[in-house]
Amino acid sequence: MRTLACLLLVAAVLVSNEKANAQSSYDLRSPDNRIEVRIRTSGQIRYDVVVQTMPILENSTVSLDIDHKKLGIDPKVIDAKQSSHDQVVEPIVRQKFAKIRDHYNELRLNLDGGYSVVFRAYNEGVGYRFETSLPQKEVKIYGEEANFRFASNFVVYYPQEDSFYSHNERKYLPQPLSEISSQFFASLPAVVDTSEGGKVVIAESDVEDYPGLWLRGAAPSFALSATFPPYPIKEAQTSDRDYKPTENADYIAVTSGTRTYPWRIIGVVDHDGDLLTNEIVYLLERPSQFRDTSWIKPGKVAWDWWNDWNIDGVDFHAGINTKTYEYYVDFASKYSIPYIILDDGWYKLGNLLEVTPDLNMNELTAYAKQKNVGLILWASWKTLDDQLIPALDQFQKWGIKGIKVDFMQRSDQIMMNYFAKVCREAAKRHMLVDFHGAQKPATMMRTWPNLINTEGVRGMEWSKWSWESEPKHNVTLPFTRMFLGPMDYTPGAMRNATKSTFAPIARQPMAMGTRCHQLAMYVVYDAPLQMLSDSPSNYLREPETMEFIGAVTTTWDDTRVLDARIAEYVLVARQNGRDWYVGAMTDWDPRDMEVNFSFLPDGNFILDAYQDGVNADRNASDYKKTTTQVNRSTKLKIHLAPGGGWAARIHQ
């Protein structure tokens, strides 16, 4: 009987394998059945994405070249397993929500040759990745094929780049897919307008020990294809902050034969505003392995560099010195701002262990501790890399709360590993990390919750030398760059300018758009470590404005997009505890909008609102504060000036 049972079992397995080998197409749907992924394995792994019967991607192809063997070409399916997952994730740092539903259906194709391809369908979109279990301890990745072939000549908001060596601070400009040739490549994300009102976003997540994904055009076809910075084998240092690859290998990564690879993401939304609340990138990041996260404290930070250390009404010379930073500490303490940053100039270039002579770090750290204000130190990435352990050990002795790391300008495998290394070592010493000079770390913030913010965005610093940080760009970013994760745009300008009155003045900077446009950024933009970029002296002259900036939080229990249109306007409500905040921003067009307060719970609330002044079209600093009572049945009409905004705090 045992022999017969064994024979029957073997026969069942053989039949199962024969069925798996015979089957060459698979169907996977999102939990709400809105999104369908059609996967085929005949000849090569291909897939389509259909949204509510509308084809979005057709015949998209994937493969992975490991040691010159292409996985995904002529695949032989051993078995195919479907499963479902539904749980609630509670982020350590609440970027948009206190709780996120992690709900998806999964198809795992286990393939002959020691690898698998996993597809997941969420209500928020689709993700896929390779997994390998190869006998080689180390392998080389010579390339990865990810061709996103769209069904029509859609328009894409495409952050075109000039080189892999980049800060990733690009504008997201709309272009038809058919006009983007293979010589034009871009960083992420690419936001595609499907012409039916919905949007599709190409992104990635869970990038570890691997280069970041970039995209190339494929005109005249309607496609975007993956490209990657090659593995550097020689690098040259031209300054304390510029360390460039000068010779590259013909492969993109050297890695383990057994591992999971990054997720390739096709985010899907029905409405523009859903781009602000779609959490698929976060959900596909590897969860944090930290046991103790109680020391990770988001908050606002007073910043020195943008305002060029311009303080006034004091009896000492302003600059990079102890007295100036004590002034910043006093300001931060007055408004319960938890941090100040010491940016470029606090140390001798090339040596983080040598403090500039006019700055007594021991005296300053003692003073800041007395005032309950934490210090965050800027560092050029290469200098930090050269001195990582001794520098971080010294910072820990000083009681430093975080580091701002800058000028990486790369996303090859070496640099991606550097990001993880810095986060790991900083966490050992209970330090926050803010990465500038790159956009890729935005997709690592769940994995490294002490990675509290990232740049890789054309932010307000550009107003010091150009006309680039202007309202239309500002209302494009929440729908594009912010899809990847929080962004350090650095808002808070008190010198506000119209189109005709703006001038880029590095030593006395101003920003385009109204005062209320700036205030709304504190609500609209995700930034768990959010800057106050202007001079403390300017803020102290604006106590009414500081009632809002001082109170507004940087993390959120809930986010509701009330009205939004990419590159035109946005209206968002956010909850933190019992308080709600609302922010509205427009491009250069004046705009009338309506705030529907139905998101509020029952009861009456006080609304402290900041609205563009009657003359904000002439004087962008003109605003009016009003205080009224509202409840969940209230509907309020608001007017936004050209480049304007509206911001409010709702409390009891």
Side-chain angles (χ1 to χ4, degrees):
M1 290 296 292
R2 287 183 181 178
T3 303
L4 178 60
C6 290
L7 289 171
L8 290 172
L9 179 60
V10 169
V13 170
L14 289 172
V15 169
S16 176
N17 286 343
E18 285 176 6
K19 285 183 178 179
N21 289 329
Q23 184 177 351
S24 61
S25 63
Y26 305 85
D27 191 76
L28 182 68
R29 292 178 179 268
S30 59
D32 62 4
N33 280 316
R34 191 173 112 265
I35 303 170
E36 180 186 5
V37 191
R38 300 168 181 168
I39 301 139
R40 297 177 297 282
T41 59
S42 178
Q44 180 175 3
I45 295 176
R46 304 170 185 269
Y47 68 93
D48 308 330
V49 176
V50 178
V51 180
Q52 293 178 333
T53 73
M54 178 183 174
I56 301 297
L57 293 173
E58 292 183 329
N59 212 31
S60 295
T61 56
V62 307
S63 68
L64 186 65
D65 187 340
I66 299 183
D67 290 340
H68 296 304
K69 180 181 180 182
K70 290 191 176 181
L71 309 185
I73 304 296
D74 293 324
K76 293 180 175 58
V77 179
I78 296 173
D79 60 51
K81 298 179 180 178
Q82 289 215 25
S83 61
S84 296
H85 177 90
D86 192 1
Q87 72 173 64
V88 173
V89 172
E90 296 187 17
I92 294 167
V93 176
R94 294 168 291 132
Q95 300 171 9
K96 303 175 190 287
F97 302 103
K99 296 181 179 181
I100 309 169
R101 189 179 183 186
D102 187 17
H103 191 197
Y104 60 83
N105 294 323
E106 180 178 285
L107 171 68
R108 173 179 293 272
L109 298 174
N110 295 318
L111 299 138
D112 184 42
Y115 73 102
S116 304
V117 179
V118 180
F119 285 85
R120 286 185 186 173
Y122 292 78
N123 296 339
E124 296 85 356
V126 176
Y128 76 84
R129 73 174 175 189
F130 281 87
E131 299 182 7
T132 56
S133 300
L134 302 176
Q136 304 97 305
K137 184 176 181 181
E138 182 178 277
V139 296
K140 289 180 179 175
I141 312 299
Y142 284 89
E144 179 185 341
E145 176 187 2
N147 288 323
F148 304 95
R149 293 175 175 163
F150 290 89
S152 297
N153 188 22
F154 300 135
V155 169
V156 56
Y157 288 81
Y158 196 64
Q160 188 168 309
E161 299 270 5
D162 300 319
S163 163
F164 283 129
Y165 192 72
S166 172
H167 286 279
N168 306 137
E169 297 175 4
R170 298 290 158 161
K171 282 200 164 183
Y172 292 80
L173 301 176
Q175 302 178 61
L177 285 164
S178 63
E179 295 181 8
I180 307 173
S181 73
S182 61
Q183 69 191 70
F184 298 130
F185 65 102
S187 46
L188 299 178
V191 179
V192 180
D193 187 340
T194 66
S195 75
E196 296 289 329
K199 299 290 186 292
V200 173
V201 188
I202 305 303
E204 67 177 341
S205 189
D206 197 28
V207 184
E208 182 180 6
D209 195 31
Y210 203 79
L213 169 68
W214 298 54
L215 296 170
R216 283 192 183 277
S221 69
F222 314 145
L224 298 173
S225 60
T227 186
F228 299 88
Y231 189 90
I233 52 178
K234 286 187 180 178
E235 299 162 288
Q237 188 162 0
T238 56
S239 73
D240 76 295
R241 59 202 62 191
D242 290 308
Y243 192 63
K244 303 179 182 180
T246 57
E247 186 178 339
N248 295 313
D250 60 350
Y251 47 85
I252 64 172
V254 181
T255 189
S256 171
T258 299
R259 60 162 296 173
T260 60
Y261 286 81
W263 289 101
R264 307 304 172 209
I265 294 174
I266 304 105
V268 177
V269 301
D270 292 332
H271 308 286
D272 289 11
D274 298 335
L275 290 165
L276 278 69
T277 54
N278 190 306
E279 291 275 46
I280 190 170
V281 172
Y282 185 88
L283 290 171
L284 287 171
E285 294 173 37
R286 180 167 54 91
S288 169
Q289 304 301 303
F290 292 177
R291 292 183 179 179
D292 174 24
T293 59
S294 60
W295 55 273
I296 300 174
K297 298 188 183 301
K300 296 187 292 288
V301 53
W303 185 32
D304 53 0
W305 181 87
W306 189 83
N307 59 73
D308 202 45
W309 298 267
N310 280 320
I311 60 175
D312 51 53
V314 296
D315 57 3
F316 56 86
H317 190 71
I320 303 173
N321 57 54
T322 306
K323 290 294 184 185
T324 297
Y325 283 118
E326 287 179 346
Y327 183 92
Y328 278 79
V329 168
D330 288 341
F331 163 72
S333 178
K334 176 180 174 69
Y335 286 103
S336 299
I337 296 165
Y339 306 107
I340 72 165
I341 279 182
L342 280 67
D343 210 286
D344 192 0
W346 72 266
Y347 67 88
K348 181 181 178 182
L349 291 183
N351 186 0
L352 285 161
L353 303 176
E354 186 174 344
V355 180
T356 190
D358 294 332
L359 183 61
N360 186 320
M361 192 63 77
N362 289 321
E363 181 181 327
L364 176 61
T365 53
Y367 187 78
K369 184 177 181 181
Q370 176 189 338
K371 295 278 188 171
N372 199 30
V373 174
L375 303 185
I376 295 173
L377 299 181
W378 180 93
S380 178
W381 83 269
K382 185 61 172 69
T383 305
L384 181 64
D385 194 33
D386 291 341
Q387 300 181 304
L388 184 63
I389 302 306
L392 291 182
D393 286 346
Q394 180 60 64
F395 296 174
Q396 185 178 31
K397 290 176 185 175
W398 284 333
I400 300 303
K401 301 301 182 183
I403 52 176
K404 174 183 172 183
V405 189
D406 207 348
F407 284 95
M408 292 75 69
Q409 305 174 82
R410 290 163 48 185
S411 61
D412 51 64
Q413 184 188 18
I414 290 175
M415 185 57 71
M416 297 303 290
N417 288 346
Y418 171 80
F419 294 144
K421 177 173 66 175
V422 169
C423 291
R424 184 183 304 110
E425 291 298 331
K428 291 177 183 177
R429 298 158 179 84
H430 288 189
M431 291 181 198
L432 305 176
V433 178
D434 177 11
F435 279 126
H436 277 229
Q439 144 261 79
K440 295 299 180 185
T443 65
M444 303 164 65
M445 296 180 72
R446 182 182 180 189
T447 306
W448 305 104
N450 64 321
L451 175 52
I452 202 70
N453 210 355
T454 61
E455 196 198 26
V457 64
R458 186 167 298 197
M460 201 168 74
E461 67 177 6
W462 280 68
S463 64
K464 288 168 71 77
W465 60 78
S466 77
W467 281 260
E468 295 292 322
S469 297
E470 46 82 33
K472 188 171 186 64
H473 171 67
N474 297 344
V475 294
T476 303
L477 291 174
F479 307 89
T480 52
R481 162 61 183 83
M482 205 170 80
F483 188 87
L484 297 180
M487 58 184 193
D488 203 1
Y489 179 93
T490 69
M494 295 295 100
R495 299 181 70 210
N496 313 108
T498 66
K499 245 183 191 179
S500 60
T501 61
F502 175 81
I505 304 172
R507 304 301 294 271
Q508 292 282 345
M510 64 185 78
M512 276 188 277
T514 69
R515 171 71 56 81
C516 294
H517 189 82
Q518 287 285 315
L519 296 185
M521 292 178 182
Y522 287 93
V523 182
V524 174
Y525 291 167
D526 293 335
L529 185 73
Q530 182 64 282
M531 302 280 178
L532 277 71
S533 299
D534 216 324
S535 164
S537 298
N538 289 344
Y539 290 125
L540 291 168
R541 278 189 285 270
E542 300 282 352
E544 192 173 68
T545 296
M546 281 306 300
E547 289 175 16
F548 180 84
I549 297 179
V552 68
T553 186
T554 66
T555 57
W556 307 104
D557 299 329
D558 195 7
T559 297
R560 311 280 183 92
V561 180
L562 308 182
D563 199 0
R565 188 173 179 87
I566 187 170
E568 293 186 20
Y569 59 87
V570 60
L571 173 60
V572 177
R574 306 247 206 185
Q575 179 191 16
N576 181 282
R578 298 179 56 134
D579 289 356
W580 283 83
Y581 291 83
V582 183
M585 299 167 64
T586 184
D587 57 10
W588 285 118
D589 292 331
R591 203 172 300 276
D592 293 311
M593 305 181 76
E594 182 177 84
V595 183
N596 185 329
F597 291 88
S598 59
F599 56 83
L600 290 173
D602 291 333
N604 293 320
F605 294 82
I606 296 169
L607 173 75
D608 295 324
Y610 294 74
Q611 63 192 48
D612 291 330
V614 174
N615 293 303
D617 59 333
R618 297 166 55 88
N619 173 12
S621 295
D622 185 31
Y623 76 92
K624 180 180 180 181
K625 181 189 175 189
T626 62
T627 299
T628 55
Q629 185 172 284
V630 295
N631 57 47
R632 66 191 322 269
S633 64
T634 302
K635 295 181 180 179
L636 178 67
K637 294 189 181 301
I638 62 174
H639 176 76
L640 279 62
W646 189 86
R649 180 189 176 204
I650 306 168
H651 58 97
Q652 288 184 314

